[in-house]
Amino acid sequence: MPVVRDSIVVTSVSLEDSYRHCRNVARRRAKNFYYSFLLLEKPQRNAMCAIYAFMRECDDLSDDPAADKAGLPEAIARWRLQLNRALAGDVSGSAIWPAFCDSVRRYSIPHRFFHEMIDGITSDLEPRRVQTYEELYRYCYQVASVVGLAAIHIFGFQSVKALLLAEQCGIAFQLTNILRDVREDARLGRIYLPEEDIKRFGVPAEQLLSGKEDQQFRELMRFEAARAREYYDKSAPLLDLIHAKSRRSLWALRAIYLELLARIEKADYSVLSNRINVPARTKIALLLRAFLTYK
């Protein structure tokens, strides 16, 4: 059987119930994304929850510690087959499919983005050590940029320039996640900080598990954080290229991730000994600011 955590395996489910299920998944699991969803109009909010629910299913396939790792390639192949069937009109098998397919049709989201998301989780099935920044960029694109590319179809945009900027925004978000999760990922056998950078700053890969936060480690993290900030700066014009009614949602999401990066920097990159996050009260304050700024 496929490895499933948040979906309900069913023969059929109504569109209304499917959207309700996806909203519940997003409410429980989308710690940063869900706050920004609240600033969207209801149809857009529902669509974002449906796309997030699909993305969550993809992530859970590779991240579930109870999963039979030997059977994961087959489970992912079945999940890809379910995706193809759902997009072709057969929405049985999971509670997410009716809402997901309705959202994809409603906002004309290219199907290739969802296959690229699955490609991204496939690359996480085995322990991995990213060798170069080019390899890291490709990974970030598959697991984050494609989410942004799907999202701007829901936001609405006019210029094709928005596509490149959405890609860069996704890179910024994923690099921030990687900086936060260095030790957690290393425990899973995944080292996303490029090997070429680790060697450059003289940080043994084993140190990412040890919790030792010396000067070399902090310099490495500072270098990678500057890389993330560069992509935040590059993608900033995206706000002006999406429909006005969606801007406060994107602004809030960017603000939450920028706050996370700022907290990592303020903590002097002590991510091996601490779990750094953005408190709910800060997220709510940023939502209020977005609401008052973009009317």
Side-chain angles (χ1 to χ4, degrees), residues 122-280:
T122 301
S123 69
D124 266 341
L125 293 186
E126 300 293 337
R128 66 180 298 174
R129 291 180 63 165
V130 170
Q131 298 300 308
T132 66
Y133 179 66
E134 289 71 22
E135 183 183 345
L136 175 59
Y137 187 99
R138 178 61 183 167
Y139 172 75
C140 291
Y141 172 84
Q142 290 176 323
V143 300
S145 290
V146 291
V147 180
L149 288 164
I152 65 166
H153 284 77
I154 298 171
F155 289 154
F157 65 97
Q158 299 296 331
S159 172
V160 294
K161 293 179 181 178
L163 296 171
L164 175 60
L165 296 178
E167 176 180 327
Q168 293 173 336
C169 190
I171 299 296
F173 289 170
Q174 189 60 24
L175 289 175
T176 304
N177 286 338
I178 287 170
L179 292 174
R180 178 195 60 197
D181 298 336
V182 168
R183 190 174 187 181
E184 178 182 331
D185 288 333
R187 285 173 171 170
L188 293 172
R190 303 168 185 168
I191 298 178
Y192 296 111
L193 300 179
E195 182 71 13
E196 61 185 10
D197 296 341
I198 289 175
K199 289 181 177 178
R200 174 182 173 183
F201 288 94
V203 178
E206 296 74 19
Q207 185 174 331
L208 304 182
L209 284 170
S210 72
K212 181 181 179 182
E213 297 162 338
D214 57 15
Q215 189 59 31
Q216 290 93 329
F217 172 77
R218 297 184 197 283
E219 289 298 326
L220 168 63
M221 293 290 288
R222 188 172 291 111
F223 175 77
E224 304 296 351
R227 203 171 240 165
R229 283 206 171 273
E230 180 182 356
Y231 282 103
Y232 282 113
D233 292 343
K234 285 181 177 179
S235 62
L238 179 60
L239 276 169
D240 295 327
L241 296 182
I242 63 172
H243 291 176
K245 65 182 180 180
S246 303
R247 287 174 188 162
R248 60 189 183 186
S249 178
L250 178 58
W251 186 92
L253 184 57
R254 284 176 56 88
I256 290 169
Y257 269 93
L258 279 165
E259 177 66 18
L260 175 58
L261 180 59
R263 286 172 179 262
I264 291 171
E265 293 168 334
K266 186 175 180 180
D268 202 15
Y269 309 101
S270 299
V271 295
L272 300 183
S273 55
N274 297 285
R275 173 72 177 183
I276 298 173
N277 55 36
V278 179

Side-chain angles (χ1 to χ4, degrees), residues 87-102:
L87 292 172
D90 179 1
V91 294
S92 62
S94 170
I96 74 167
W97 291 132
F100 172 82
C101 292
D102 182 64

